[in-house]
Amino acid sequence: MHPAVFIGAAVSLGCLFALQEWISSRFWNYQIHLGLLLQAWGVQYFIWGVICWVIWWKLNPQINNATLRTMLTFFLPLSIAVGVFEEMIWILIFPTLPHGRPPMPYWRRLAFVLDGEMIDNIVLFWCAFFLFRGLGYYQRFREKERAESQLQSQLVQAQMRALRMQLNPHFLFNTMNGISSLMRSDVQAADLMLEQLSRLLRITLHRGEAQFITLSDEMEFIEMYLAMQDRRFAGRVRQQMSIDPHLHDAIVPTMILQPIVENAYAHGLSKLNSEGLLHIEATADGSRLCLSVTNNGLGLHLTPPNGKSKGVGLTNVQDRLRMHYGDNHSFSITEIKNNTVQVIVTLPLQLSERPIEKSTRYGVS
């Protein structure tokens, strides 16, 4: 906040006290000039306004994070020192005060004033302390509320993008063509492909607005998506999944892998006529969860530069990771060897409180 806010508020409060004392003096029949009172109270609270601004400017983080021990060992002595310091300045500015008393040396006047106002000064300091702490709580609450709102918006957009991908006319056209062809040669396979398409769409809709799911649920979605792609690119792309069984309960953002896998097919594997390879891996490195997607498509240098969907998909992944984890994550896309691209995401490893008991087909090539 601007220093004028502190100084203006403090001086206004000092003027009110001056007016109150002037009214009291008239009630008790002793004379004191209103101008002198306004000067004395105004200057005193001007000093307090400056002090409060300096405290806010320099110590606001320490105030918001202060423990009881910090309050007792640091801020309590500081409140006493600030109270004495403020009175030393005030007495220097008004050498004729206290009013109605015989002239006194500086240190004697300081001791006289502190005897009557030291407690008030300490109370003022701690009022400012808890006011700043309350403002800190309020600011963090608003920031958290704003971040959650943005996160919710990002999640909805990701879900909408996934729906659009699945409802993409080209994707559905090819899928339905594949189903139609299988109907003539393998009715059972065509029925399975149609069922997978239906489940893929239904799961996307039923997940609703959940922000996090288990890795098991995420891989179930990816597994069905890969099954669809496997039939579209029959014989051209080999799929591998290597998921540490201990990580089935790991918590991950909803649909965090799907845009990466989609990008691998759209800009790499779909261009190959044979011997394509997609490898998905989930491992733990201490307290970190590492997810990687590797493909041997075109490589980074041959990827079409105008691939707009690639930019949107991976940018969305990075935006969501940043909103969920701040700086406590990493995202990288590199060409590890000729035409082989690897995307690696690392997150804090968090496990669900309710272990997943169902088995999956993870690890099956």
Side-chain angles (χ1 to χ4, degrees):
M1 285 190 286
H2 196 276
V5 176
F6 295 88
I7 296 173
V11 171
S12 299
L13 186 62
C15 291
L16 288 176
F17 285 134
L19 184 60
Q20 182 188 36
E21 185 171 344
W22 180 72
I23 294 174
S24 298
S25 68
R26 295 174 66 85
F27 181 79
W28 293 105
N29 293 323
Y30 69 91
Q31 296 297 321
I32 186 168
H33 197 272
L34 177 60
L36 178 62
L37 286 175
L38 287 173
Q39 289 180 36
W41 282 98
V43 169
Q44 187 169 38
Y45 275 79
F46 175 87
I47 298 170
W48 269 111
V50 174
I51 290 172
C52 288
W53 172 70
V54 172
I55 292 173
W56 171 271
W57 175 36
K58 291 292 186 182
L59 300 177
N60 193 39
Q62 290 83 350
I63 289 175
N64 287 319
N65 298 318
T67 62
L68 179 60
R69 181 178 180 181
T70 306
M71 293 182 193
L72 294 175
T73 57
F74 177 73
F75 284 99
L76 182 58
L78 180 63
S79 67
I80 297 173
V82 167
V84 174
F85 176 71
E86 184 275 331
E87 294 296 350
M88 291 175 67
I89 297 176
W90 186 75
I91 290 174
L92 279 174
I93 297 174
F94 292 96
T96 59
L97 294 178
H99 186 71
R101 297 280 178 177
M104 293 182 284
Y106 174 84
W107 293 110
R108 187 175 175 186
R109 285 194 299 122
L110 177 62
F112 178 84
V113 173
L114 288 176
D115 184 60
E117 298 188 4
M118 192 61 200
I119 298 299
D120 294 343
N121 290 344
I122 293 175
V123 170
L124 272 173
F125 179 94
W126 284 99
C127 286
F129 176 93
F130 286 109
L131 175 63
F132 296 163
R133 196 175 174 97
L135 288 174
Y137 281 128
Y138 177 74
Q139 287 180 332
R140 287 199 295 273
F141 171 78
R142 291 300 303 270
E143 289 172 359
K144 182 179 178 182
E145 196 175 45
R146 185 165 50 250
E148 288 177 350
S149 175
Q150 293 175 349
L151 190 59
Q152 191 70 18
S153 175
Q154 290 279 335
L155 178 61
V156 171
Q157 291 177 18
Q159 291 172 330
M160 293 300 293
R161 271 193 286 271
L163 283 173
R164 284 199 296 272
M165 179 277 297
Q166 294 169 62
L167 297 176
N168 183 291
H170 184 68
F171 172 78
L172 287 178
F173 176 78
N174 289 336
T175 304
M176 297 307 292
N177 264 351
I179 294 174
S180 177
S181 299
L182 286 174
M183 286 292 290
R184 297 185 179 88
S185 58
D186 190 342
V187 175
Q188 187 175 1
D191 182 64
L192 179 60
M193 194 171 176
L194 188 61
E195 181 184 350
Q196 287 171 333
L197 176 62
S198 175
R199 289 180 62 193
L200 195 68
L201 296 173
R202 186 168 58 248
I203 285 179
T204 303
L205 292 173
H206 286 182
R207 278 182 177 174
E209 298 180 356
Q211 298 182 12
F212 293 94
I213 58 176
T214 62
L215 181 60
S216 175
D217 288 341
E218 179 70 5
M219 292 309 300
E220 181 182 19
F221 181 88
I222 293 297
E223 202 170 63
M224 286 187 287
Y225 178 78
L226 292 179
M228 299 289 298
Q229 298 290 43
D230 189 42
R231 283 168 175 76
R232 286 186 58 192
F233 301 97
R236 295 162 53 191
V237 178
R238 186 160 53 93
Q239 301 167 349
Q240 292 180 341
M241 284 190 285
S242 178
I243 310 297
D244 186 337
H246 298 95
L247 299 177
H248 287 183
D249 301 328
I251 300 297
V252 297
T254 304
M255 287 187 284
I256 201 66
L257 283 174
Q258 187 275 331
I260 301 174
V261 174
E262 177 193 1
N263 191 77
Y265 269 100
H267 301 283
L269 297 170
S270 64
K271 315 299 180 185
L272 301 179
N273 294 322
S274 63
E275 298 185 355
L277 175 62
L278 177 77
H279 182 73
I280 302 174
E281 185 175 17
T283 57
D285 181 11
S287 61
R288 311 288 295 176
L289 171 65
C290 180
L291 305 172
S292 70
V293 178
T294 307
N295 78 86
N296 64 344
L298 296 182
L300 291 177
H301 62 291
L302 292 179
T303 301
N306 58 346
K308 185 176 180 180
S309 61
K310 172 188 176 184
V312 172
L314 296 187
T315 299
N316 174 267
V317 170
Q318 294 177 73
D319 288 345
R320 293 172 61 209
L321 289 170
R322 184 168 56 253
M323 296 190 72
H324 281 307
Y325 303 105
D327 295 331
N328 194 19
H329 80 280
S330 68
F331 178 95
S332 66
I333 175 168
T334 55
E335 188 167 336
I336 56 177
K337 57 183 180 181
N338 289 340
N339 298 337
T340 300
V341 177
Q342 185 177 52
V343 177
I344 298 179
V345 175
T346 62
L347 318 167
L349 177 57
Q350 299 173 320
L351 299 178
S352 170
E353 295 179 356
R354 301 178 59 183
I356 304 300
E357 296 180 355
K358 63 183 179 183
S359 60
T360 69
R361 296 191 292 114
Y362 302 161
V364 177
S365 300

